[in-house]
Amino acid sequence: MNAENAGRVLLIDDDEVFVHVLGRALVTRGFEVAMARDGSGALARCADFQPSHIVLDLKLGAESGLALIPRLTAARPAARILLLTGYASIATAVEAIKRGAHDYLAKPVDADQVVQALLGNATAQPATAGDALPDAPPPLKRLEWEHIQRVLNECDGNISEAARRLGLHRRTLQRKLAKRPVREVPQR
C-alpha cells in the first residue's frame, strides 16, 4: 500500500512514546502522519495537514478527547475518527459514537488493529467455543465501572459533581477511576 492510497493520519495523544511508535508503524503501512499533543495543537494541525483519518486519545492530560470530537468533525467533516483509550467502557464508547467518532478501540492496540479501524475494515472474527461469553452476568466490579463512567460522562468529566451524584467522596471516586476496569472474559 502506498502513501497516496492509505491517506493522512493525525495522531492526537499526550503520550509521546506511544505516538512516536504508532506513527512509525503507520508510516511503514503507507500513511502520511502528523502528530499533536493537545486539543489546540490538534485543531491547528487539522487545519494545515488536512487529515483523512484522525486517531484520538480519550484523555489528553487535563482535556477530554470526547469534548474534542465535535470540534474535529467540524474542522474536517470527511475525516474518519478513531478514539483510543486505556479506560474502556460501554458508556464512553456510546458517547464517542454519539459525538461523531467512527470507531473506538481499547488500549493496548497494535498498528494493524488501528489500520483496520481507520480504513473501516474491522472484520468480525467468527467466535470459537473458547471465545464465547459465559451465560453469567458481568462481574459486579465491571458494572460499577460502567455506571461510574456513565455518570462521569453525564457530568462532562467533573469529578466533584459525579462523586456527589454517586454518593461518594471525591477522593474515593478518584481512586476508583485510577484503577483499570475489570475484564469481562477471564484471560486464559
Side-chain angles (χ1 to χ4, degrees), residues 15-169:
D15 183 346
E16 195 171 322
V17 174
F18 175 75
V19 169
H20 182 71
V21 170
L22 182 58
R24 272 195 346 222
L26 292 175
V27 167
T28 63
R29 286 163 175 80
F31 288 91
E32 188 177 340
V33 176
M35 301 170 194
R37 298 189 69 188
D38 58 22
S40 59
L43 292 170
R45 289 298 289 158
C46 199
D48 65 3
F49 184 64
Q50 300 290 309
S52 56
H53 305 87
I54 298 171
V55 177
L56 172 65
D57 190 28
L58 178 65
K59 294 189 185 269
L60 299 171
E63 295 179 84
S64 168
L66 286 175
L68 190 57
I69 293 172
R71 294 170 38 205
L72 291 169
T73 302
R76 289 292 297 161
R80 184 169 178 83
I81 299 176
L82 167 63
L83 185 72
L84 297 180
T85 182
Y87 305 94
S89 76
I90 294 170
T92 54
V94 169
E95 188 64 25
I97 301 302
K98 282 182 182 177
R99 291 183 184 221
H102 294 89
D103 214 334
Y104 177 93
L105 291 176
K107 290 179 182 177
V109 296
D110 63 28
D112 292 328
Q113 290 174 303
V114 171
V115 169
Q116 286 180 347
L118 289 177
L119 298 177
N121 297 341
T123 55
Q125 298 294 325
T128 62
D131 293 337
L133 290 175
D135 291 332
L140 185 58
K141 287 185 179 186
R142 180 65 187 198
L143 292 174
E144 177 189 44
W145 175 264
E146 298 285 338
H147 181 65
I148 288 171
Q149 293 299 317
R150 188 170 30 258
V151 171
L152 191 59
N153 283 333
E154 290 171 3
C155 296
D156 294 324
N158 183 326
I159 291 178
S160 295
E161 176 63 18
R164 187 186 65 73
R165 289 185 186 182
L166 291 166
L168 296 173
H169 190 278

